[in-house]
Amino acid sequence: QVQLVESGGGSVQAGGSLRLSCVVPPYNLRIRCMGWFRQAPGKEREGVASIYIGDGLPSYADSVKGRFTISRDNAKTTLYLQMNNLKPEDTAMYYCAVKEGYGGACLFPGYYNYWGRGTQVTVSS
């Protein structure tokens, strides 16, 4: 069982920034993708940003490209999501997740095995 703990959510005005963090247990060699997802009320969960562990290549949803950056610390125990120029449409519950095994796009939430409980991000206009 992999336990994930997110932090860093909050309320900001449009144009502001937040950085989300997610503590990931180390030394799990089965993890192939790590990602951030979000779900707004009445909407499906969507991929925001992900990293493929094999080569460290990030992927982003079109809606956040140029504004959000996903990264990991050197010890590879913390996953970050730096969110700049936030917009009201970014308001959602944000989840950290990890995917074990090969196969499936890293940005697709359906392939992920373990999820955090989420952290709320609210952006006001």
Side-chain angles (χ1 to χ4, degrees):
Q1 188 74 14
V2 177
Q3 292 186 334
L4 308 173
V5 181
E6 303 103 333
S7 62
S11 297
V12 296
Q13 290 189 330
S17 298
L18 286 172
R19 188 175 81 156
L20 306 183
S21 300
C22 174
V23 177
V24 181
Y27 311 124
N28 185 336
L29 300 180
R30 298 185 298 274
I31 292 176
R32 306 315 307 167
C33 296
M34 302 174 73
W36 288 97
F37 301 83
R38 66 187 182 188
Q39 188 166 18
K43 295 188 177 181
E44 293 187 353
R45 190 169 296 187
E46 64 175 351
V48 175
S50 64
I51 290 180
Y52 177 62
I53 302 304
D55 57 13
L57 188 69
S59 297
Y60 296 95
D62 288 343
S63 59
V64 306
K65 283 180 181 177
R67 301 189 297 121
F68 291 11
T69 303
I70 188 171
S71 63
R72 298 167 72 192
D73 67 342
N74 288 335
K76 296 179 171 54
T77 58
T78 306
L79 184 69
Y80 299 102
L81 183 67
Q82 178 66 44
M83 305 185 295
N84 297 329
N85 190 21
L86 282 160
K87 303 177 180 180
E89 51 264 43
D90 294 319
T91 295
M93 184 71 78
Y94 283 70
Y95 299 90
C96 168
V98 300
K99 169 184 167 308
E100 296 180 334
Y102 293 95
C106 283
L107 262 184
F108 184 65
Y111 293 119
Y112 279 70
N113 308 96
Y114 301 103
W115 294 82
R117 294 185 176 184
T119 185
Q120 178 68 36
V121 172
T122 303
V123 185
S124 58
S125 57

